[in-house]
Amino acid sequence: MKSFTYNALPARVIFGSDTLPQIAQEIKNLGCTKALVLTTPQQIPEGELVLKLIGPELGAGIYSEATMHTPTDITEKAVARAQELKADCVISVGGGSTTGLGKAIALRTGLKQIAVPTTYAGSEASATPIIGETSGSVKKTQKTMKVLPNVIVYDVKLSLTLPPRMTLTSGVNAVAHAVEALYSTDSNPIIDGLALQGITAIARALPQIMHSPPDSESLFSARSDALFGAWACGTCLGAVGMSLHHKICHTLGGTFNLPHADTHTVILPHAMAYNAPYAKETMKQIVSALKDAGLAAESAPGAVWDLVKSLDGPMSLRELGMREEDLDKAADIASGNPYPNPAPLERDKLKKLLQDAWNGIRPE
């Protein structure tokens, strides 16, 4: 057993079905009295449901302008709204856009947070002290305990109507956290175990979700597996450092405004292939986890690519709207600042990675 250091994150997690009614008590447990509910414009109904459950005595109102990549101008408007309503906590209902906004508000105000995820992995996984914000065309991330949610409430029922494409891309987004945790410079056996559980749970669940009849018991079971996998993978993201894959995705999202989860889905197998020669043991572990999920897997990068293709997911940066002439700029940014990664960061090789991802070529 190798030596390691592990810092556990002090977050309260509530997982199950029909857990939403517990939020009112969780607000009181935090010593709070007025909660501002955060959503995107598309998820106002879910926010209104939460507001109804906590009642007028605990609900301050809704701010529904959360958006992708957590732009700082949106955050400033949300902070002003929270102060106007005298809110003493926020409830983030949704995916990464909403969770990121809740974290950004907490960073500036110190307000306590309750996160209610409705996807499997957003811009900032709920169970992490990591926040990424975009100002202008630059997205920057930081790690600080100021943004770690105090409570995370997972309710499987909220994920039952998640659209198929978002189901797939947010699930692969979650898998990316686990993959990079396994070859992180500060990896440890506790997080390695969670990472492999998360990969297996999501890889097993995604095909079942796509192929199960609506309202079936098998669909509910698969949704439960996927949501557990999302938590496991998100915990990995918060506990150890990330590498090349996340750097590229933040570059493509912040600078070129590509959709976050879709970008993760396209880039992951290519980033894995780039690192594979320098992370052979990790790739063997991933292959084993994918086989445990019932997938045919010989090469870890190829198996992830095959899974996405078999479920009609996005396969290229080109289809996400990336211009081929911008690949050089993306390679420059991704190689511009050193960061830990198994394989050496070489600008020409990074350009090839991006070119392959733009073309949608299957990695070996």
Side-chain angles (χ1 to χ4, degrees):
M1 176 66 67
K2 71 174 184 179
S3 300
F4 67 90
T5 300
Y6 170 59
N7 293 314
L9 299 175
R12 176 173 168 83
V13 176
I14 298 170
F15 186 99
S17 180
D18 292 317
T19 56
L20 277 185
Q22 299 181 43
I23 293 178
Q25 185 59 50
E26 294 301 323
I27 295 171
K28 296 174 184 177
N29 291 347
L30 291 173
C32 297
T33 58
K34 283 293 178 184
L36 176 63
V37 177
L38 309 173
T39 73
T40 62
Q42 296 77 26
Q43 291 191 299
I44 291 174
E46 289 87 344
E48 290 176 337
L49 172 61
V50 170
L51 199 60
K52 179 180 179 181
L53 287 170
I54 64 178
E57 66 277 8
L58 293 175
I62 292 180
Y63 181 81
S64 60
E65 299 303 318
T67 193
M68 188 171 60
H69 303 306
T70 319
T72 53
D73 59 326
I74 295 294
T75 298
E76 297 305 329
K77 293 176 183 177
V79 167
R81 182 63 172 157
Q83 293 171 339
E84 175 190 347
L85 295 173
K86 295 182 171 55
D88 55 8
C89 68
V90 295
I91 303 174
S92 305
V93 183
S97 297
T98 312
T99 303
L101 178 59
K103 290 183 173 186
I105 293 171
L107 181 65
R108 289 160 173 76
T109 65
L111 293 185
K112 294 180 178 178
Q113 305 174 69
I114 297 175
V116 185
T118 60
T119 67
Y120 300 131
S123 300
E124 334 314 323
S126 301
T128 73
I130 297 172
I131 179 173
E133 297 185 277
T134 302
S135 179
S137 62
V138 179
K139 185 171 185 178
K140 295 182 179 179
T141 62
Q142 62 174 301
K143 189 172 185 177
T144 168
M145 294 301 291
K146 292 179 181 178
V147 304
L148 180 70
N150 301 89
V151 181
I152 307 159
V153 178
Y154 290 99
D155 192 327
V156 178
K157 286 189 174 180
L158 285 179
S159 69
L160 292 178
T161 57
L162 190 64
R165 184 181 175 98
M166 191 176 296
T167 293
L168 173 60
T169 58
S170 65
V172 177
N173 188 355
V175 169
H177 307 329
V179 167
E180 293 224 300
L182 286 167
Y183 53 59
S184 171
T185 55
D186 47 2
S187 65
N188 62 75
I190 296 95
I191 294 303
D192 286 357
L194 270 179
L196 294 170
Q197 284 186 71
I199 292 170
T200 297
I202 291 176
R204 178 175 59 239
L206 289 179
Q208 294 176 5
I209 290 170
M210 298 301 192
H211 300 140
S212 293
D215 302 322
S216 66
E217 186 175 332
S218 60
L219 177 62
F220 189 89
S221 176
R223 289 287 188 188
S224 297
D225 277 351
L227 199 58
F228 168 78
W231 170 77
C233 294
T235 300
C236 296
L237 172 66
V240 299
M242 297 286 107
S243 302
L244 172 65
H245 170 83
H246 283 76
K247 174 67 173 180
I248 289 178
C249 289
H250 284 151
T251 296
L252 296 175
T255 303
F256 304 100
N257 201 37
L258 297 191
H260 186 85
D262 291 53
T263 304
H264 272 272
T265 302
V266 170
I267 290 295
L268 179 58
H270 297 281
M272 291 171 66
Y274 185 100
N275 281 325
Y278 297 84
K280 293 180 180 179
E281 186 56 38
T282 293
M283 296 303 152
K284 290 179 183 178
Q285 290 176 304
I286 295 170
V287 165
S288 179
L290 294 173
K291 286 182 176 178
D292 287 345
L295 302 183
E298 299 300 328
S299 151
V304 171
W305 193 93
D306 291 342
L307 174 64
V308 175
K309 184 174 178 60
S310 71
L311 299 177
D312 297 322
M315 303 307 300
S316 71
L317 293 177
R318 175 169 44 190
E319 67 187 90
L320 301 186
M322 183 78 179
R323 300 187 307 169
E324 188 173 17
E325 55 265 36
D326 287 332
L327 296 180
D328 278 307
K329 181 179 179 180
D332 290 339
I333 296 172
S335 60
N337 295 311
Y339 47 91
N341 190 67
L345 299 171
E346 300 178 29
R347 195 266 180 202
D348 289 345
K349 290 184 177 179
L350 290 175
K351 169 64 186 303
K352 184 180 185 304
L353 182 162
L354 290 164
Q355 188 71 56
D356 288 347
W358 191 85
N359 287 319
I361 295 172
R362 184 186 188 276
E364 297 301 324

